[in-house]
């Protein structure tokens, strides 16, 4: 929960306006917001800030994918606000429905609310023909608007007059030097109704103190690398979902949708990686499936430093979501109960 007064709302919209402007949005753009407009701060947060710039807003909210695509075409939408995973789903639907790219005027994708690997960014830029930037925030400190990328995509510019960010060792609490990866800790500087001091976010990143070539001099926050509570420890090895994503997106035969299922048997943890195939016909060729399975398994072993069980599933077998994707299913406690 986050309490705001009238001044906080104005501060919030200013923070978003700066980030959206850095990403390329102007008062001539038409921006479709595919975030939910409920208690989730993403919808109204981006709405207030982009409205402040003077852009036309299409407040579509989440879901109803066919209508999303219809409005993008009919209203000449140039900017899309969504989670990266929902943007991937939209791109897949465009291909499935055989909608020509020239039907869209999309130029910008402002994505947040969940992590996005460079591989996913590249895939979205290629499939949708847009400039993809990420932005960061969390409800407890204001909502979105803490930081965001400019068009150069070399770190998220921090609204330093509103937020003071430290990077700490999550185990000891020690403040780490610039450039070292650790947990993001935020102190609000401009919030009146419910300020927070040294709020531990559990997000993993690092600070970039150098000036950006875009001309902005405020420090930057590197894209979120993962979360301390998302990290899995499998047979003594630290595993982040983002590592799996970087491998999966390297194979054009599989979809970016994946899940990690963790089980426990005889006091040992086992990781299963479930990946969707793009073409279900591939399942009819045992040799092709076996070859692909070996290639992906070998790459996973190289990146993770452990062997994971890989399962290739039919297209659309993993449920898509308009919000944050559920990547990790931890069944260890359930397995222990059954034992």
């Amino acid at each position: 929960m986050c309490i705001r007064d009238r001044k906080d709302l104005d501060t919030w919209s200013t923070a978003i306006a700066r980030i959206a402007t850095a990403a390329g949005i102007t008062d001539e753009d038409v921006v479709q917001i595919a975030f939910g407009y409920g208690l989730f701060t993403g919808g109204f947060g981006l709405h207030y800030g982009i409205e402040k710039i003077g852009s036309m807003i299409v407040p579509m909210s989440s879901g109803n994918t066919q209508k999303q695509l219809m409005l993008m075409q009919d209203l000449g939408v140039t900017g899309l606000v969504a989670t990266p995973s929902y943007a991937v789903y939209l791109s897949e639907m465009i291909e499935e429905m055989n909608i020509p790219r020239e039907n869209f005027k999309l130029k910008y994708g402002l994505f947040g609310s969940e992590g996005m690997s460079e591989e996913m960014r590249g895939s979205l830029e290629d499939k949708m023909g847009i400039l993809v930037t990420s932005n960061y925030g969390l409800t407890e400190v204001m909502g979105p608007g803490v930081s965001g990328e400019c068009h150069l995509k070399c770190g998220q510019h921090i609204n330093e007059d509103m937020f003071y960010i430290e990077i700490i060792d999550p185990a000891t609490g020690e403040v780490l030097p610039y450039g070292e990866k650790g947990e993001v800790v935020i102190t609000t500087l401009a919030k009146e109704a419910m300020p927070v001091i040294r709020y531990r976010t559990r997000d993993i990143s690092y600070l970039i103190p150098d000036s950006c070539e875009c001309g902005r001099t405020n420090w930057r926050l590197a894209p979120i690398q993962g979360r301390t509570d998302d990290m899995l420890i499998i047979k003594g090895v630290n595993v982040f979902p983002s590592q799996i994503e970087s491998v999966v997106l390297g194979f054009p035969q599989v979809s970016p949708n994946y899940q990690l299922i963790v089980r426990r048997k005889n006091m040992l943890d086992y990781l299963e990686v479930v990946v969707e195939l793009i073409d279900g016909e591939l399942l009819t060729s045992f040799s092709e499936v076996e070859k692909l399975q070996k290639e992906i398994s070998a790459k996973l072993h190289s990146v993770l430093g452990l062997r994971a069980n890989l399962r290739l599933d039919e297209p659309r077998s993993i449920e898509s979501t308009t919000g944050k994707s559920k990547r990790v299913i931890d069944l260890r406690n359930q397995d222990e109960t059954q034992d």
Side-chain angles (χ1 to χ4, degrees), residues 222-238:
I224 301 302
Q225 317 285 299
R227 288 178 55 83
T228 58
D229 52 359
D230 270 354
M231 185 183 75
L232 300 169
I233 301 178
I234 309 294
K235 299 178 182 178
V237 178
N238 295 343

Side-chain angles (χ1 to χ4, degrees), residues 69-88:
L69 297 176
M70 180 190 73
L71 289 175
M72 282 183 198
Q73 297 172 82
D74 292 350
L75 300 178
V77 171
T78 57
L80 172 65
V81 172
T83 62
S85 55
Y86 188 54
V88 167

Side-chain angles (χ1 to χ4, degrees), residues 165-171 173-174 176 180-186 199-206 228:
I165 294 183
E166 301 169 276
I167 305 295
I168 68 167
D169 183 321
E174 176 188 2
L176 299 174
E180 284 198 27
K181 190 185 300 183
E183 182 178 351
V184 178
V185 173
I186 301 177
Y199 181 82
R200 295 187 61 166
T201 66
R202 296 188 179 274
D203 293 320
I204 302 295
S205 186
Y206 59 91
T228 58

Side-chain angles (χ1 to χ4, degrees), residues 1 3 20 51 66 68 98 109 123 134 140 151 158 181 189 218 233 249 260 275 279-280 298:
M1 180 179 179
I3 300 172
E51 185 178 58
Q66 290 197 5
Q68 297 269 8
N98 293 316
S123 175
S134 64
E140 294 86 345
H151 65 284
I158 301 167
K181 190 185 300 183
L189 303 176
N218 45 337
I233 301 178
L249 287 168
L260 313 182
V275 181
D279 183 2

Side-chain angles (χ1 to χ4, degrees), residues 93-108:
M93 290 301 297
I94 290 171
E95 289 185 356
E96 185 175 303
M97 296 169 68
N98 293 316
I99 305 175
R101 182 183 285 188
E102 53 267 27
N103 284 18
F104 298 92
K105 294 183 179 179
L106 280 173
K107 297 187 292 183
Y108 307 106

Side-chain angles (χ1 to χ4, degrees), residues 209-230:
D210 307 323
S211 297
C212 179
E213 290 185 12
C214 74
R216 294 174 177 82
T217 58
N218 45 337
W219 286 10
R220 287 164 285 152
L221 182 70
I224 301 302
Q225 317 285 299
R227 288 178 55 83
T228 58
D229 52 359
D230 270 354

